[in-house]
PDB file of all heavy atoms in Angstrom:
ATOM      1  N   ILE A 458     -42.774   6.295 -11.212  1.00 46.00           N
ATOM      2  CA  ILE A 458     -43.145   6.757 -12.552  1.00 46.00           C
ATOM      3  C   ILE A 458     -42.456   8.064 -12.902  1.00 46.00           C
ATOM      4  O   ILE A 458     -42.201   8.361 -14.065  1.00 46.00           O
ATOM      5  CB  ILE A 458     -44.681   6.923 -12.657  1.00 46.00           C
ATOM      6  CG1 ILE A 458     -45.098   7.177 -14.115  1.00 46.00           C
ATOM      7  CG2 ILE A 458     -45.173   8.039 -11.752  1.00 46.00           C
ATOM      8  CD1 ILE A 458     -44.866   6.030 -15.035  1.00 46.00           C
ATOM      9  N   SER A 459     -42.101   8.857 -11.886  1.00 46.00           N
ATOM     10  CA  SER A 459     -41.502  10.161 -12.149  1.00 46.00           C
ATOM     11  C   SER A 459     -40.001  10.099 -12.354  1.00 46.00           C
ATOM     12  O   SER A 459     -39.343  11.112 -12.465  1.00 46.00           O
ATOM     13  CB  SER A 459     -41.798  11.113 -10.983  1.00 46.00           C
ATOM     14  OG  SER A 459     -41.353  10.556  -9.771  1.00 46.00           O
ATOM     15  N   SER A 460     -39.444   8.889 -12.388  1.00 49.00           N
ATOM     16  CA  SER A 460     -38.000   8.772 -12.586  1.00 49.00           C
ATOM     17  C   SER A 460     -37.701   7.831 -13.730  1.00 49.00           C
ATOM     18  O   SER A 460     -38.558   7.127 -14.239  1.00 49.00           O
ATOM     19  CB  SER A 460     -37.322   8.258 -11.310  1.00 49.00           C
ATOM     20  OG  SER A 460     -37.658   6.901 -11.096  1.00 49.00           O
ATOM     21  N   LYS A 461     -36.459   7.817 -14.134  1.00 53.00           N
ATOM     22  CA  LYS A 461     -35.999   6.899 -15.170  1.00 53.00           C
ATOM     23  C   LYS A 461     -34.647   6.382 -14.745  1.00 53.00           C
ATOM     24  O   LYS A 461     -33.687   7.128 -14.645  1.00 53.00           O
ATOM     25  CB  LYS A 461     -35.871   7.635 -16.508  1.00 53.00           C
ATOM     26  CG  LYS A 461     -35.317   6.769 -17.637  1.00 53.00           C
ATOM     27  CD  LYS A 461     -36.325   5.740 -18.113  1.00 53.00           C
ATOM     28  CE  LYS A 461     -35.807   4.974 -19.316  1.00 53.00           C
ATOM     29  NZ  LYS A 461     -36.758   3.976 -19.795  1.00 53.00           N
ATOM     30  N   VAL A 462     -34.558   5.081 -14.446  1.00 55.00           N
ATOM     31  CA  VAL A 462     -33.266   4.506 -14.057  1.00 55.00           C
ATOM     32  C   VAL A 462     -32.604   4.025 -15.334  1.00 55.00           C
ATOM     33  O   VAL A 462     -32.961   2.996 -15.883  1.00 55.00           O
ATOM     34  CB  VAL A 462     -33.449   3.344 -13.068  1.00 55.00           C
ATOM     35  CG1 VAL A 462     -32.100   2.829 -12.593  1.00 55.00           C
ATOM     36  CG2 VAL A 462     -34.279   3.794 -11.881  1.00 55.00           C
ATOM     37  N   LEU A 463     -31.678   4.792 -15.850  1.00 60.00           N
ATOM     38  CA  LEU A 463     -31.075   4.492 -17.130  1.00 60.00           C
ATOM     39  C   LEU A 463     -30.246   3.212 -17.071  1.00 60.00           C
ATOM     40  O   LEU A 463     -29.440   3.018 -16.174  1.00 60.00           O
ATOM     41  CB  LEU A 463     -30.181   5.651 -17.571  1.00 60.00           C
ATOM     42  CG  LEU A 463     -30.907   6.970 -17.811  1.00 60.00           C
ATOM     43  CD1 LEU A 463     -29.912   8.032 -18.244  1.00 60.00           C
ATOM     44  CD2 LEU A 463     -31.974   6.824 -18.856  1.00 60.00           C
ATOM     45  N   GLY A 464     -30.461   2.358 -18.047  1.00 56.00           N
ATOM     46  CA  GLY A 464     -29.634   1.173 -18.179  1.00 56.00           C
ATOM     47  C   GLY A 464     -30.014   0.026 -17.287  1.00 56.00           C
ATOM     48  O   GLY A 464     -29.269  -0.939 -17.180  1.00 56.00           O
ATOM     49  N   LYS A 465     -31.150   0.072 -16.622  1.00 58.00           N
ATOM     50  CA  LYS A 465     -31.549  -1.006 -15.712  1.00 58.00           C
ATOM     51  C   LYS A 465     -32.786  -1.712 -16.253  1.00 58.00           C
ATOM     52  O   LYS A 465     -33.595  -1.124 -16.950  1.00 58.00           O
ATOM     53  CB  LYS A 465     -31.833  -0.450 -14.315  1.00 58.00           C
ATOM     54  CG  LYS A 465     -30.625   0.252 -13.696  1.00 58.00           C
ATOM     55  CD  LYS A 465     -29.451  -0.694 -13.529  1.00 58.00           C
ATOM     56  CE  LYS A 465     -28.252   0.024 -12.923  1.00 58.00           C
ATOM     57  NZ  LYS A 465     -27.082  -0.864 -12.804  1.00 58.00           N
ATOM     58  N   ASN A 466     -32.924  -3.010 -15.881  1.00 56.00           N
ATOM     59  CA  ASN A 466     -34.081  -3.744 -16.374  1.00 56.00           C
ATOM     60  C   ASN A 466     -35.287  -3.526 -15.477  1.00 56.00           C
ATOM     61  O   ASN A 466     -35.218  -2.841 -14.463  1.00 56.00           O
ATOM     62  CB  ASN A 466     -33.750  -5.244 -16.504  1.00 56.00           C
ATOM     63  CG  ASN A 466     -33.390  -5.864 -15.162  1.00 56.00           C
ATOM     64  OD1 ASN A 466     -33.998  -5.574 -14.144  1.00 56.00           O
ATOM     65  ND2 ASN A 466     -32.389  -6.737 -15.163  1.00 56.00           N
ATOM     66  N   ASN A 467     -36.392  -4.124 -15.850  1.00 59.00           N
ATOM     67  CA  ASN A 467     -37.651  -3.887 -15.130  1.00 59.00           C
ATOM     68  C   ASN A 467     -37.659  -4.463 -13.726  1.00 59.00           C
ATOM     69  O   ASN A 467     -38.543  -4.147 -12.934  1.00 59.00           O
ATOM     70  CB  ASN A 467     -38.820  -4.485 -15.922  1.00 59.00           C
ATOM     71  CG  ASN A 467     -39.068  -3.741 -17.219  1.00 59.00           C
ATOM     72  OD1 ASN A 467     -38.756  -2.568 -17.316  1.00 59.00           O
ATOM     73  ND2 ASN A 467     -39.597  -4.424 -18.214  1.00 59.00           N
ATOM     74  N   TYR A 468     -36.711  -5.351 -13.410  1.00 66.00           N
ATOM     75  CA  TYR A 468     -36.684  -5.981 -12.093  1.00 66.00           C
ATOM     76  C   TYR A 468     -35.741  -5.259 -11.130  1.00 66.00           C
ATOM     77  O   TYR A 468     -35.545  -5.703 -10.013  1.00 66.00           O
ATOM     78  CB  TYR A 468     -36.252  -7.445 -12.221  1.00 66.00           C
ATOM     79  CG  TYR A 468     -37.144  -8.252 -13.125  1.00 66.00           C
ATOM     80  CD1 TYR A 468     -36.608  -9.107 -14.084  1.00 66.00           C
ATOM     81  CD2 TYR A 468     -38.533  -8.145 -13.038  1.00 66.00           C
ATOM     82  CE1 TYR A 468     -37.429  -9.846 -14.921  1.00 66.00           C
ATOM     83  CE2 TYR A 468     -39.362  -8.884 -13.872  1.00 66.00           C
ATOM     84  CZ  TYR A 468     -38.800  -9.733 -14.806  1.00 66.00           C
ATOM     85  OH  TYR A 468     -39.622 -10.458 -15.632  1.00 66.00           O
ATOM     86  N   TYR A 469     -35.152  -4.177 -11.600  1.00 71.00           N
ATOM     87  CA  TYR A 469     -34.195  -3.430 -10.788  1.00 71.00           C
ATOM     88  C   TYR A 469     -34.955  -2.431  -9.916  1.00 71.00           C
ATOM     89  O   TYR A 469     -35.771  -1.661 -10.415  1.00 71.00           O
ATOM     90  CB  TYR A 469     -33.239  -2.683 -11.718  1.00 71.00           C
ATOM     91  CG  TYR A 469     -32.267  -1.758 -11.039  1.00 71.00           C
ATOM     92  CD1 TYR A 469     -31.015  -2.210 -10.635  1.00 71.00           C
ATOM     93  CD2 TYR A 469     -32.582  -0.427 -10.816  1.00 71.00           C
ATOM     94  CE1 TYR A 469     -30.110  -1.356 -10.043  1.00 71.00           C
ATOM     95  CE2 TYR A 469     -31.689   0.431 -10.216  1.00 71.00           C
ATOM     96  CZ  TYR A 469     -30.450  -0.044  -9.841  1.00 71.00           C
ATOM     97  OH  TYR A 469     -29.560   0.810  -9.246  1.00 71.00           O
ATOM     98  N   HIS A 470     -34.701  -2.486  -8.622  1.00 79.00           N
ATOM     99  CA  HIS A 470     -35.395  -1.588  -7.694  1.00 79.00           C
ATOM    100  C   HIS A 470     -34.379  -0.986  -6.722  1.00 79.00           C
ATOM    101  O   HIS A 470     -33.391  -1.622  -6.360  1.00 79.00           O
ATOM    102  CB  HIS A 470     -36.482  -2.336  -6.925  1.00 79.00           C
ATOM    103  CG  HIS A 470     -37.588  -2.814  -7.804  1.00 79.00           C
ATOM    104  ND1 HIS A 470     -38.685  -2.036  -8.115  1.00 79.00           N
ATOM    105  CD2 HIS A 470     -37.754  -3.983  -8.462  1.00 79.00           C
ATOM    106  CE1 HIS A 470     -39.473  -2.714  -8.922  1.00 79.00           C
ATOM    107  NE2 HIS A 470     -38.944  -3.896  -9.144  1.00 79.00           N
TER     108      HIS A 470
END
Side-chain angles (χ1 to χ4, degrees):
I458 189 66
S459 56
S460 70
K461 177 72 175 180
V462 184
L463 297 180
K465 301 299 179 182
N466 62 41
N467 292 333
Y468 302 134
Y469 174 90
H470 294 273

